[in-house]
Amino acid sequence: MLTDVEIAQQAKIQNIAAIAEKLNLTADDLEFYGKFKAKISSEVWEKVKNKPDGKLILMTAITPTPAGEGKTTTSIGLADAFSKLGRKICLALREPSLGPCFGIKGGAAGGGYAQVVPMEDINLHFTGDFHAITTAHNLLAAVLDNHIQHGNELKIDVRRVVWKRVLDLNDRALRNIIVGLGGKNNGVPRESGFDITVASEMMAILCLSKNLSDLRKRLGKIIVAYDFSGKPVTADDLKVTGSLTLLLKDAIKPNLVQTLEGTPALIHGGPFANIAHGCNSVIATKYALKLADVVVTEAGFGADLGAEKFLDIKCRLNNLQPDAVVIVATVRALKMHGGVEKNNLSEPNLSALQKGLENLEKHIENIQGFGLPAVVALNHFPTDTEEEIKTVEKLCAEKNVKFALSKVFSEGGAGGIELAKAVEEAFNEKKNFTLTYSDEESITEKISAVAKKIYSADGVEYSPAAKKQIAEIEKLGFKNLPVCIAKTQYSLSDDEKKLGRPKNFLVTVREVKISAGAGFVVVLLGSILTMPGLPKRPAAEKIDITDDGIISGLF
């Protein structure tokens, strides 16, 4: 079989204006970025805002493993399947980060015959959204340091500057740095560091803003530091909100592309789900719901991370509710959760599969706990045996969830028809959408609710610093905000080595900080890092481009 990039390069991509017509959009509704990419004009919202919403499908997955689950691939293939069934369909996905692209995980444009294209552009600079976010974030950091250099009128305590800089690459050497070295003319020395762009509060703000006006208000609320009296210092205080808004004036507009089969796809925003809230932009999701009858969106990593945040943060703040939730699993990944080493996953192993099914079972229970109908999509591999497939299907029957075998990687939309029909049946199931916690609960109560209900932890331990931070955050009036918990994606616990369905464990809260502009409290568990590092052999070593522009090694 051809590689992903070879399949994408051989695709006959339609002009983006023809894709827009499938959503009843005209060339006047678009801002073109060449032939195959466009942004949707802000004026379109006034035309569509009173239309009824389409059905919303949330795509999530079991706890990820190095064996791969294929959540984005399944999202794309499911959308193509709905298109084949004659439905007016639109995807709403996140933009990939350059960090994983050149690191270990790879891009995020799907795979095989279920991809979004132009794949190379989407995985690289795309329409420049991430660069705009990076620049705006770092402008705020530069203005902050400049203010301190020129007299510090706001009496900022340089020991309590909380706004780092960002870069959309994995670079562990930048996690902890000293800025302002080199004498008086080069700034005031202080400790700082870098986060990856997808962990920036500005990324979260862009993805949660309803429009440019809301974006401006949120940017102004960003807390960058505290003064000597303990009062927060914001972007508004630094008089830079207008400039930040200007830098993001185009980035806030959703990007329109297409699948290999010509299905419209809005790809916009890209916060990670392990260290951020893990969902594409509210604007793109709401546009898609008005422009199509069925919308497929996804949330990052497993249901304990992306789906929980999609439901407890994005839906809570924007009056959204999925009509069905698809949980993606593979036999290979389930066997890995059952203790099988990666190089032995192709061998049948029913006992390991049975043990690994505990992980799927927990994710099913979580979605059912939200009061939503779940469908399990088993992403098919050629090494899967009939007995293994039946074993997964049997668990789904016992848990009263629909099951479908997905072959979209090898067959495109045709391989997702069974899944699409199962999802349509799920639309008719009874729903009783319930959030994990209420706004009125304390921050510790919210953290405990997620830890116990979603992770199955026995309880929560707090570092002395975290206890102090929570007390200060509640004193400042932010108690009613939802929590965005950052933890390893590789386990339901905060210990990445605990695979499957861990039992009898506590989670440890290391740090808690306020993202006042985004509108949530960030809670860091265990040893989670907000700036990833590169592996010993990064993907960057295999990527190349020929003199005539042919890219290789990207997938």
Side-chain angles (χ1 to χ4, degrees):
M1 185 173 173
L2 300 173
T3 65
D4 291 350
V5 70
E6 289 171 339
I7 291 171
Q9 287 167 348
Q10 292 182 14
K12 293 181 179 180
I13 309 179
Q14 301 176 46
N15 189 291
I16 198 62
I19 300 300
E21 288 178 7
K22 297 180 181 182
L23 299 175
N24 300 119
L25 296 173
T26 68
D28 290 338
D29 297 320
L30 305 178
E31 297 173 8
F32 293 93
Y33 283 66
K35 297 179 181 178
F36 309 119
K37 300 172 291 182
K39 281 188 171 287
I40 297 180
S41 171
S42 302
E43 289 75 26
V44 171
W45 182 249
E46 290 303 314
K47 299 180 183 179
V48 302
K49 66 180 182 181
N50 293 322
K51 291 185 176 182
D53 285 349
K55 297 289 187 180
L56 180 60
I57 304 162
L58 172 62
M59 187 73 63
T60 186
I62 61 171
T63 303
T65 70
E69 287 69 51
K71 178 159 44 65
T72 303
T73 300
T74 307
S75 298
I76 296 165
L78 176 59
D80 284 336
F82 272 112
S83 183
K84 284 185 177 297
L85 291 172
R87 312 296 185 260
K88 189 178 181 184
I89 177 76
C90 186
L91 276 160
L93 304 176
R94 292 177 299 162
E95 299 178 46
S97 164
L98 291 174
C101 238
F102 293 101
I104 191 170
K105 185 174 180 289
Y113 290 91
Q115 296 187 54
V116 280
V117 286
M119 181 267 272
E120 300 100 323
D121 291 359
I122 293 167
N123 275 304
L124 296 174
H125 303 292
F126 201 17
T127 58
D129 294 346
F130 281 24
H131 296 294
I133 292 166
T134 302
T135 303
H137 183 113
N138 291 337
L139 171 63
L140 182 53
V143 169
L144 169 62
D145 280 317
N146 186 63
H147 178 90
I148 295 170
Q149 169 75 1
H150 289 289
N152 196 5
E153 182 182 341
L154 293 172
K155 296 182 172 52
I156 294 169
D157 185 347
V158 295
R159 299 164 301 179
R160 299 204 63 196
V161 173
V162 295
W163 193 252
K164 298 181 180 181
R165 286 166 169 80
V166 296
L167 182 71
D168 192 37
L169 289 171
N170 296 359
D171 194 343
R172 61 170 52 85
L174 293 176
R175 287 173 184 160
N176 299 287
I177 63 171
I178 304 292
V179 298
L181 296 179
K184 186 176 180 180
N185 289 335
N186 293 310
V188 176
R190 63 177 182 85
E191 290 185 59
S192 188
F194 274 74
D195 292 329
I196 192 166
T197 297
V198 288
S200 167
E201 183 180 352
M202 281 198 186
M203 175 68 79
I205 286 172
L206 183 89
C207 289
L208 290 170
S209 295
K210 297 176 178 64
N211 49 45
L212 194 66
S213 174
D214 187 33
L215 176 72
R216 178 190 293 272
K217 290 175 185 175
R218 289 174 178 271
L219 290 171
K221 292 178 182 177
I222 293 173
I223 295 173
V224 296
Y226 295 85
D227 66 17
F228 287 109
S229 69
K231 178 186 173 184
V233 178
T234 67
D236 273 348
D237 293 329
L238 291 170
K239 300 179 173 61
V240 73
T241 306
S243 291
L244 301 177
T245 308
L246 175 63
L247 284 170
L248 299 176
K249 71 177 181 66
D250 293 318
I252 197 173
K253 301 169 186 175
N255 306 296
L256 177 65
V257 289
Q258 62 192 285
T259 70
L260 290 173
E261 298 183 13
T263 300
L266 297 181
I267 299 183
H268 194 219
F272 280 171
N274 56 347
I275 54 179
H277 77 281
C279 315
N280 70 290
S281 76
V282 168
I283 290 177
T285 301
K286 291 202 167 185
Y287 265 108
L289 286 168
K290 297 297 183 184
L291 294 168
D293 297 329
V294 181
V295 175
V296 179
T297 192
E298 70 169 17
F301 295 124
D304 57 313
L305 285 167
E308 185 272 319
K309 294 169 185 178
F310 182 95
L311 299 166
D312 279 325
I313 297 176
K314 184 172 178 176
C315 290
R316 179 192 302 266
L317 299 178
N318 294 280
N319 195 30
L320 293 170
Q321 177 180 323
D323 294 280
V325 180
V326 178
I327 304 170
V328 181
T330 64
V331 167
R332 291 166 55 85
L334 290 169
K335 287 191 289 191
M336 199 164 197
H337 277 294
V340 177
E341 296 294 330
K342 185 179 178 181
N343 56 355
N344 296 324
L345 293 174
S346 297
E347 301 171 8
N349 191 327
L350 277 179
S351 61
L353 177 61
Q354 288 281 10
K355 183 172 176 52
L357 280 172
E358 292 180 356
N359 185 267
L360 172 59
E361 184 178 36
K362 175 56 180 167
H363 288 295
I364 291 171
E365 290 170 6
N366 283 347
I367 297 305
Q368 290 176 331
F370 281 104
L372 297 170
V375 178
V376 170
L378 190 66
N379 193 9
H380 182 260
F381 277 74
T383 54
D384 298 348
T385 68
E386 190 65 27
E387 193 173 11
E388 288 173 329
I389 295 169
K390 291 295 183 184
T391 299
V392 180
E393 187 174 8
K394 181 174 179 289
L395 171 77
C396 294
E398 291 170 354
K399 301 299 292 184
N400 197 30
V401 298
K402 298 188 183 305
F403 168 89
L405 195 63
S406 173
K407 296 184 177 181
V408 299
F409 182 89
S410 57
E411 299 178 13
I417 297 294
E418 178 186 339
L419 176 59
K421 290 180 177 178
V423 171
E424 284 198 321
E425 289 178 11
F427 288 160
N428 299 318
E429 292 184 18
K430 184 179 178 181
K431 304 172 189 66
N432 182 26
F433 186 36
T434 306
L435 298 172
T436 307
Y437 51 82
S438 69
D439 293 341
E440 292 71 29
E441 292 178 68
S442 68
I443 292 172
T444 55
E445 287 172 334
K446 291 170 183 173
I447 295 169
S448 180
V450 175
K452 291 180 178 180
K453 295 179 184 179
I454 305 298
Y455 312 151
S456 288
D458 292 334
V460 184
E461 292 182 330
Y462 295 86
S463 70
K467 290 179 181 178
K468 184 178 178 181
Q469 290 158 349
I470 290 171
E472 182 177 47
I473 289 168
E474 291 192 337
K475 184 179 178 181
L476 290 170
F478 296 113
K479 172 190 167 185
N480 288 344
L481 297 184
V483 292
C484 180
I485 299 182
K487 75 170 185 72
T488 178
Q489 65 270 33
Y490 296 118
S491 173
L492 285 161
S493 73
D494 59 355
D495 180 354
E496 65 178 39
K497 295 179 181 178
K498 293 180 178 177
L499 303 184
R501 183 173 184 167
K503 295 179 177 65
N504 305 316
F505 67 93
L506 300 172
V507 295
T508 301
V509 176
R510 185 181 86 240
E511 182 182 355
V512 182
K513 52 188 179 179
I514 181 66
S515 289
F520 52 64
V521 175
V522 179
V523 181
L524 281 74
L525 299 189
S527 58
I528 189 71
L529 297 168
T530 51
M531 169 55 90
L534 290 170
K536 186 175 182 179
R537 298 292 181 210
E541 294 181 1
K542 303 174 184 176
I543 296 171
D544 203 355
I545 183 170
T546 65
D547 291 343
D548 53 357
I550 303 300
I551 294 172
S552 62
L554 198 55
F555 285 95

